[in-house]
Amino acid sequence: MNGSIDLAAIRTRIAAQVVGRDRELDLVLAAVAAGRDLILEGPPGTSKSTLLRAITAEWGIPLVLVEGNADLTPSRLVGHHNPSRVLREDYSADNFVDGPLLEAMRVGGFLYVEEFNRAPEDTVDALLTAMAERVITVPRVGTVAARPTFRVVASMNPYDNVGTTRLSTSVHDRMCRLVVDYQDATAEREIVTRRAQPTPPRIVADAVAVTRATRDREDIRQGSSVRGAIDLALVVAQLCTMRGVTVPGGETVAPPRDLPTDYTTAFLDAMMVALSGRIHLDDTAFTTAEGILTEIWQDHFLLGPAAAEPG
């Protein structure tokens, strides 16, 4: 990650793998090429890990993944001495087992911490020296210096407030921040088409539309990610095959007025399976996930086409 790297060529190759993330790809590439650590803030299913995997694969460096949670203690992050060997040999550098932080530092990889704000405060603090100085001192082991390509990249879900902690100003002062939102509808249809092959265009268009509708309701605190649309498309396709339902043709994104009832019924059934566990209702909602999904289904397949202009 120095001046000799052709970032424009790397960007072109990565862009062919990641759908609908041109701006985010530019900014992440610029930040990591400049030697900065980074927080990616956005809901699940917005291609954050896909983007990082593509970047590290292109650079030929590891992506070391760790999940932030209450069990991620400093010793699990940094590393620990092998207890059985300590009993036989006492403490030494030879019986120290690297945690993901030291592993990433030694190999010059990206340490990717998912759900960063779920990690305990003392664990997050263990990253401060590594980020600021690019070295960390471990008792009875010595000082470990990071290779030049080492970066800390963290992700956070801004909609999740259960079991999370507020990051300190010391952490924010050491990291750049990028907000990553959902892709647009065209990009999501392309993602579902790629991930749910072979699925007819009608199913893809309807799956993306109803999934995106879960993000626009006041009674839903957090809607489904594109993973829900992928699962929905796959389940609908299987249901239609099993029930002998003919999937309508046509290339229009909006549903036509004459969709067969057996198709729309299969779609409603599939929505209950694929989306009901992925939407999180607002505390003030006086209904169920199934009730909300039924309303979304009615809006998409019944009310929307009925309100459209004839022809």
Side-chain angles (χ1 to χ4, degrees):
M1 297 181 194
N2 50 51
S4 64
I5 290 179
D6 187 348
L7 281 181
I10 289 174
R11 183 208 178 281
T12 299
R13 290 193 293 270
I14 296 175
Q17 308 172 44
V18 183
V19 179
R21 284 287 173 239
D22 290 346
R23 173 179 173 273
E24 291 81 1
L25 175 57
D26 286 348
L27 296 176
V28 172
L29 270 176
V32 297
R36 301 302 92 192
D37 300 308
L38 183 66
I39 294 177
L40 300 176
E41 186 174 313
T46 47
S47 302
K48 297 185 291 296
S49 59
T50 301
L51 192 61
L52 293 176
R53 291 183 195 280
I55 291 173
T56 51
E58 184 63 39
W59 259 310
I61 59 177
L63 179 66
V64 181
L65 177 65
V66 60
E67 183 177 348
N69 53 48
D71 296 327
L72 185 64
T73 60
S75 63
R76 289 194 175 188
L77 179 67
V78 177
H80 63 279
H81 288 274
N82 185 309
S84 61
R85 292 191 60 182
V86 168
L87 290 174
R88 295 195 309 266
E89 308 166 10
D90 205 355
Y91 290 95
S92 71
D94 290 338
N95 60 40
F96 188 82
V97 180
D98 286 352
L101 173 57
L102 259 62
E103 177 188 349
M105 292 177 69
R106 291 188 197 275
V107 300
F110 284 14
L111 176 68
Y112 180 40
V113 186
E114 291 190 305
E115 304 292 346
F116 191 42
N117 54 341
R118 286 182 175 273
E121 185 176 354
D122 57 344
T123 303
V124 174
D125 289 344
L127 290 168
L128 296 181
T129 301
M131 289 192 291
E133 307 295 337
R134 291 349 230 190
V135 298
I136 189 168
T137 300
V138 181
R140 300 185 179 93
V141 174
T143 299
V144 177
R147 296 185 65 178
T149 51
F150 167 71
R151 302 287 183 272
V152 176
V153 183
S155 68
M156 293 168 41
N157 177 6
Y159 298 100
D160 199 351
N161 55 15
V162 178
T164 60
T165 59
R166 183 176 181 179
L167 297 178
S168 68
T169 55
S170 297
V171 175
H172 282 293
D173 190 51
R174 286 166 170 79
M175 305 184 78
C176 296
R177 171 179 172 269
L178 175 63
V179 174
V180 182
D181 206 347
Y182 294 108
Q183 291 98 329
D184 61 26
T186 301
E188 287 202 26
R189 285 192 293 271
E190 175 63 24
I191 293 170
V192 176
T193 298
R194 292 187 183 188
R195 296 286 300 277
Q197 293 182 352
T199 302
R202 177 74 271 144
I203 292 180
V204 171
D206 293 332
V208 170
V210 298
T211 300
R212 290 178 66 85
T214 66
R215 306 170 197 158
D216 298 327
R217 292 180 61 108
E218 294 183 355
D219 47 8
I220 298 180
R221 176 169 52 85
Q222 180 179 334
S224 172
S225 73
V226 69
R227 295 189 188 105
I230 294 168
D231 284 4
L232 176 56
L234 290 169
V235 173
V236 170
Q238 291 296 327
L239 269 182
C240 288
T241 299
M242 183 171 57
R243 295 177 178 178
V245 175
T246 300
V247 177
E251 298 296 327
T252 62
V253 172
R257 300 178 65 178
D258 57 350
L259 286 176
T261 302
D262 56 358
Y263 170 74
T264 58
T265 299
F267 220 98
L268 177 60
D269 291 340
M271 287 173 65
M272 300 305 169
V273 174
L275 300 182
S276 62
R278 286 184 162 98
I279 62 175
H280 305 281
L281 306 190
D282 187 82
D283 293 338
T284 61
F286 293 100
T287 184
T288 62
E290 289 77 10
I292 290 176
L293 290 175
T294 300
E295 292 180 10
I296 291 174
W297 175 83
Q298 291 172 336
D299 289 343
H300 180 72
F301 287 107
L302 304 179
L303 301 182
E309 290 293 331

